[in-house]
Amino acid sequence: MSPVGKPKHHESAIGHVSGTAVYTDDQREPAGMLSLHPVLAPHARAKITQLDVAPALAIAGCVTVLTAADVPGENNTGVILHDEVLLPTDEVSHYGQVVAWAVGETEAAARTAAAQIQVEYEPLPAIKTVAEAIAAASYHTDPQIIRRGDTEAALAQAPHTFAGEVDIGGQDHFYLETQASWVIPDGEGNLQVFASTQHPTETQEVVARVLGLPKNQVVCTCLRMGGGFGGKESQANPFAAAAALATYKTGRPARCRLRRHQDMLATGKRHGFFGQYEVGFDHEGKITALNALLVADGGWSLDLSPPVLMRAMLHVDNAYYIPNLVVEGRIAKTNRVSNTAYRGFGGPQGMIVVEEVVDRIARTLNLPPDVVRERNFYYGEGETCTTHYGQEIVDNRLDRVWSEAKQRSDYMARRAAIAAFNETSLYKKRGLAITPVKFGISFNKVQYNQAGALVLIYTDGSIQVNHGGTEMGQGLHTKMIQVAAKALGVNVERIRLMSTSTDKVPNTSATAASSGSDLNGQAVKNACEILRDRMAAVAVRMLNLDAPEDMVFEDDWIYCRTYPSARIAFDEVVQQTYSERISLSATGFYRTPNIFWDAKLAKGRPFYYFAYGAAVSEVEVDGFSGTFKLRQVDIVHDVGESLNPLVDRGQIEGGFVQGMGWLTMEELVWDGDGRLRTFAPSTYKIPTISEVPESFTIHLLERAAQDGVIYGSKAVGEPPFMLAMSVREAIRAAVAAFGDADSVPLGLPATPEATLWAIEHVKAAVGQEQPVNVVS
């Protein structure tokens, strides 16, 4: 029986629930371990006029203080541009920036010492918002533009046009395990780094860069992460580098583990966006032209903002064919934390803009929003099923997921029932919405679409699997065990999945872009097939056969396809392979084929395939408080031929709830001085179990195997996040029922306050016409 496609529980599930799973800072401490504690800047932008570490060094247990002067290599952790200093020399660029690190024998000693470090500042003018950056023309890079058709002419000819804008909030990653790194010297000038990182190779590279060492003197290992969501793709690097700097300076092991408030103050978030749009459409609600501007809040340094912005621009269409479309993207340079990768990687922000447009078209024409969405779907072949960046959608499953979601949720009957409820309920209104998702799968940068693996078979038949992906709770290691078990035809109990480490698999890509299983699964499969071919040649000789290509590996046996009674145990063949001096270890490799991107033309085939989904959400909104209750969610999602339905359902549930948090409650608030005020669970609200509806149904699209991917499966990490747009649109529908308006401006996140303002707007608009340009 194949282990692939079965609902196996997470390989670390027992460890997770029992507390025995070992994370970076749970390991047994080596002798002499030091602890680091940061000094954080209290200004959004300021000149450092004095930095006095002497009082800290006088504290009992303080070993040293790390400043920029201690860096032996390059004082920079930037990943695309080297524009992100590890420790500032003369100026701080955001509130919460690390200025220095106290290093102590204990955490308490380091914390006490950090409080004694005396830093004097001279505040400087700061750019604290995207609006201020736009006004000051403060940008990190030149504008990016993707163009299709003649938008100006189409707008001029459109029967209807309107323009608008939308402010899109950011989001803190709020992983359970904060940033954590250990660095241990070997006494010979080499370092072992244990880091909670999604990108061990990049962490290795940054540590080596800061210390002025070749990469082969730094080994980076990720045991597992207590959540990542993109927040440990590049943001883990400066904290690993700080611990490594302490080890380099003292010769002793060192740890860096942030407390929750430090993590929230010092690390980047999901990019907030400002979107502007002008749209033309016909009397049936079909979009004929869209002119859009997307401005991402990059923060003080570039980080991963260019690919985040580009993915937003590539997804500004979501599921809709728009014959004339121009989207311009800019990265605002502000004095905030350097914003970074987050589940969806810009895609959600781009989609929000077009969903805002579609809903407003529906209300302008007095059409149901689901009808307008359907009418604008990509369809057919050729131009009408080709994106604005020139990629043909060769396997369009939008109609399938959409129709199944409507049918399974009983959408039409419920819509009628909700309308009847709203007629008689004065102070509470219900809303129902269905939204689609089309999400491209692959790294934006072509070179990252590669992966490696190392598989070892021991003479007792047990197996170790190494690959370049990292485990952050998403179930990647579980799926890799299943892939290896199927490829070798063995029981999953034989396989031990090893911690991700740069000395086993070098030059890895980040575990990101929903591509962990796609890339690493193919690399693991490749390594296993190499081993299987070697063993098949041995097995045929043992069975007195002569066709190794006919050997089948299944259920711990190896047998002949055409003569099944000729079989031999896997363990026996392993022993004989070793006896014949044939290697029982192999490296595997995979590169995603047939993808390309022309950055100058902004055209190409950046995605190997698309993942599709549709979600129906029903909410009830309280007109007095602005609060909402999510009554029911029905999802149909395309995961191809699932490697593990249990893991995939968990990803869909978790992604949806996290997306709902971003859209409805997770509000980042900065004050007038550029200080983040929501830096703790007391002020930053994330979804809890009480926000999850009792009726939460997920259906995996059937007969959906995808060609050319690992055992027909599709990526599932990021696409479900965007399904939560249905919650916001359902809230908008409920708000609309309080009045009669051609548009329902709803803040993002749609907090109770934002919802109350929207209710006030629709009540005030009763009997009033909203501005819209109509051409007869």
Side-chain angles (χ1 to χ4, degrees):
M1 183 180 293
S2 172
V4 165
K6 300 298 182 292
K8 302 281 187 180
H9 67 71
H10 193 287
E11 47 88 26
S12 294
I14 294 173
H16 290 160
V17 299
S18 64
T20 57
V22 177
Y23 295 83
T24 296
D25 204 51
D26 294 335
Q27 301 172 85
R28 291 185 176 180
E29 288 188 20
M33 173 73 88
L34 301 174
S35 293
L36 279 70
H37 194 92
V39 176
L40 304 181
H43 301 283
R45 181 171 176 242
K47 181 180 180 181
I48 300 172
T49 58
Q50 183 179 350
L51 177 57
D52 185 3
V53 304
L57 296 174
I59 297 296
C62 179
V63 176
T64 190
V65 173
L66 303 178
T67 68
D70 294 306
V71 178
E74 184 181 349
N75 182 27
N76 208 292
T77 62
V79 291
I80 294 178
L81 290 183
H82 290 199
D83 64 343
E84 188 172 317
V85 294
L86 174 63
L87 292 165
T89 55
D90 55 0
E91 186 177 309
V92 295
S93 300
H94 71 90
Y95 178 75
Q97 183 173 355
V98 178
V99 177
W101 291 94
V103 182
E105 297 284 358
T106 64
E107 286 191 59
R111 184 167 58 248
T112 302
Q116 297 302 311
I117 297 173
Q118 296 179 359
V119 189
E120 295 182 5
Y121 303 92
E122 178 185 315
L124 297 171
I127 294 175
K128 299 181 287 292
T129 66
V130 171
E132 290 179 10
I134 294 172
S138 175
Y139 299 107
H140 281 284
T141 57
D142 293 333
Q144 300 291 307
I145 296 175
I146 301 176
R147 187 184 306 275
R148 172 194 219 170
D150 188 342
T151 304
E152 289 188 10
L155 284 170
Q157 297 167 9
H160 304 272
T161 63
F162 59 67
E165 58 187 44
V166 56
D167 282 304
I168 302 169
Q171 184 180 21
D172 190 86
H173 299 87
F174 217 96
Y175 25 64
L176 290 178
E177 176 204 29
T178 58
Q179 299 283 354
S181 292
W182 282 22
V183 179
I184 302 171
D186 71 350
E188 297 182 355
N190 307 303
L191 299 178
Q192 170 67 61
V193 179
F194 292 98
S196 185
T197 175
Q198 293 175 237
H199 200 344
T201 288
E202 190 174 81
T203 300
Q204 172 198 32
E205 178 181 328
V206 169
V207 168
R209 180 201 306 169
V210 168
L211 299 183
L213 298 174
K215 291 183 191 177
N216 67 356
Q217 287 186 241
V218 179
V219 174
C220 182
T221 300
C222 177
L223 303 178
R224 56 167 57 85
M225 285 169 278
F229 312 118
K232 295 174 181 176
E233 184 172 342
S234 63
Q235 299 280 302
N237 300 336
F239 306 107
L245 183 58
T247 295
Y248 185 91
K249 185 176 181 180
T250 65
R252 294 171 58 179
R255 68 142 63 95
C256 177
R257 181 189 64 183
L258 297 186
R259 301 172 75 185
R260 176 64 61 187
H261 73 282
Q262 294 166 343
D263 194 297
M264 295 185 74
L265 288 170
T267 64
K269 323 293 180 194
R270 178 185 296 280
H271 291 70
F273 268 63
F274 170 72
Q276 275 186 336
Y277 56 83
E278 184 179 10
V279 63
F281 54 101
D282 65 19
H283 299 303
E284 294 186 339
K286 297 188 75 170
I287 301 172
T288 58
L290 176 64
N291 193 345
L293 169 68
L294 302 178
V295 183
D297 183 358
W300 73 283
S301 68
L302 195 62
D303 196 82
L304 296 170
S305 294
V308 168
L309 174 67
M310 182 53 66
R311 186 169 280 263
M313 295 169 67
L314 295 175
H315 285 81
V316 76
D317 60 332
N318 191 11
Y320 310 118
Y321 167 61
I322 304 174
N324 302 281
L325 189 158
V326 174
V327 55
E328 177 182 344
R330 300 302 305 264
I331 303 170
K333 186 174 184 178
T334 61
N335 292 111
R336 287 183 176 176
V337 289
S338 186
N339 290 316
T340 191
Y342 201 125
R343 200 174 200 165
F345 205 74
Q349 294 95 314
M351 291 181 184
I352 281 293
V353 173
V354 76
E355 293 300 335
E356 193 88 4
V357 165
V358 170
D359 183 85
R360 189 169 166 189
I361 290 172
R363 299 190 188 284
T364 298
L365 298 177
N366 198 29
L367 291 170
D370 63 291
V371 171
V372 176
R373 289 187 166 93
E374 283 183 48
R375 288 177 179 174
N376 283 285
F377 281 168
Y378 283 105
Y379 68 95
E381 296 179 352
E383 175 70 13
T384 59
C385 206
T386 300
T387 65
H388 56 296
Y389 46 90
Q391 177 163 351
E392 185 178 359
I393 305 169
V394 296
D395 189 11
N396 186 351
R397 299 177 179 180
L398 282 166
D399 283 339
R400 283 188 65 193
V401 296
W402 185 263
S403 60
E404 282 200 30
K406 275 195 159 183
Q407 183 267 323
R408 289 177 176 275
S409 66
D410 199 15
Y411 182 85
M412 299 306 293
R414 286 170 59 197
R415 189 171 75 182
I418 286 171
F421 173 88
N422 288 341
E423 284 291 323
T424 60
S425 177
L426 188 60
Y427 303 117
K428 290 186 176 181
K429 303 290 185 182
R430 292 177 183 172
L432 185 71
I434 178 171
T435 56
V437 164
K438 171 188 67 66
F439 191 76
I441 303 299
S442 287
F443 282 100
N444 293 27
K445 194 168 185 178
V446 173
Q447 73 185 55
Y448 293 152
N449 294 285
Q450 59 175 294
L454 170 65
V455 177
L456 315 172
I457 301 177
Y458 293 91
T459 54
D460 65 353
S462 63
I463 301 163
Q464 281 188 1
V465 173
N466 301 268
H467 63 88
T470 55
E471 176 62 48
M472 60 196 89
Q474 85 278 39
L476 174 60
H477 283 357
T478 307
K479 288 184 174 182
M480 294 305 95
I481 290 172
Q482 291 176 276
V483 167
K486 178 176 175 62
L488 290 173
V490 298
N491 193 292
V492 293
E493 275 69 34
R494 285 181 181 266
I495 299 171
R496 179 186 176 195
L497 207 297
M498 307 303 290
S499 299
T500 311
S501 191
T502 58
D503 62 348
K504 297 291 181 64
V505 181
N507 309 319
T508 58
S509 297
T511 305
S514 302
S515 61
S517 293
D518 284 5
L519 296 176
N520 295 289
Q522 295 281 26
V524 168
K525 180 170 176 277
N526 176 236
C528 291
E529 288 174 342
I530 291 169
L531 290 168
R532 193 178 66 193
D533 289 347
R534 292 175 189 167
M535 292 177 64
V538 174
V540 292
R541 292 194 293 272
M542 296 176 74
L543 293 169
N544 294 318
L545 302 173
D546 58 9
E549 64 274 14
D550 285 346
M551 291 295 100
V552 176
F553 288 61
E554 190 174 79
D555 295 333
D556 291 332
W557 289 90
I558 302 172
Y559 62 89
C560 180
R561 190 186 317 277
T562 57
Y563 189 51
S565 61
R567 61 176 52 218
I568 191 168
F570 182 85
D571 289 353
E572 290 184 54
V573 180
V574 168
Q575 287 281 355
Q576 185 60 29
T577 303
Y578 169 75
S579 296
E580 294 186 17
R581 298 183 295 177
I582 296 171
S583 175
L584 286 167
S585 68
T587 58
F589 184 76
Y590 175 75
R591 59 190 293 272
T592 308
N594 304 320
I595 53 175
F596 71 95
W597 181 248
D598 188 320
K600 291 183 179 179
L601 297 176
K603 299 290 182 182
R605 186 174 187 257
F607 304 122
Y608 192 41
Y609 62 86
F610 294 94
Y612 304 94
V616 176
S617 292
E618 180 183 335
V619 304
E620 184 173 281
V621 171
D622 186 306
F624 290 120
S625 66
T627 57
F628 79 95
K629 178 177 176 60
L630 184 57
R631 291 170 48 82
Q632 183 173 335
V633 173
D634 296 273
I635 291 172
V636 174
H637 198 68
D638 168 28
V639 298
E641 191 72 30
S642 176
L643 291 176
N644 187 321
L646 186 63
V647 167
D648 287 349
R649 287 176 182 275
Q651 284 294 289
I652 294 168
E653 291 171 356
F656 181 91
V657 172
Q658 191 174 51
M660 177 181 69
W662 171 56
L663 292 166
T664 66
M665 63 189 69
E666 296 185 42
E667 187 174 22
L668 294 165
V669 178
W670 283 268
D671 65 18
D673 294 322
R675 297 178 299 180
L676 181 66
R677 309 307 290 175
T678 49
F679 56 83
S682 58
T683 52
Y684 185 81
K685 179 173 172 55
I686 65 171
T688 64
I689 191 65
S690 64
E691 275 79 43
V692 178
E694 292 183 15
S695 179
F696 194 161
T697 304
I698 294 171
H699 175 73
L700 304 183
L701 191 68
E702 297 173 357
R703 301 178 304 282
Q706 178 75 19
D707 289 339
V709 293
I710 185 69
Y711 294 128
S713 69
K714 278 188 170 184
V716 71
E718 291 174 299
F721 183 95
M722 283 72 83
L723 294 173
M725 293 186 295
S726 61
V727 178
R728 182 169 181 260
E729 295 308 310
I731 293 173
R732 195 198 302 271
V735 168
F738 281 97
D740 183 15
D742 287 345
S743 66
V744 182
L746 184 61
L748 196 161
T751 60
E753 294 90 339
T755 301
L756 281 175
W757 281 115
I759 291 171
E760 288 299 312
H761 172 85
V762 300
K763 286 182 175 179
V766 173
Q768 300 179 21
E769 301 224 353
Q770 299 300 303
V772 59
N773 302 319
V774 181
V775 179
S776 301

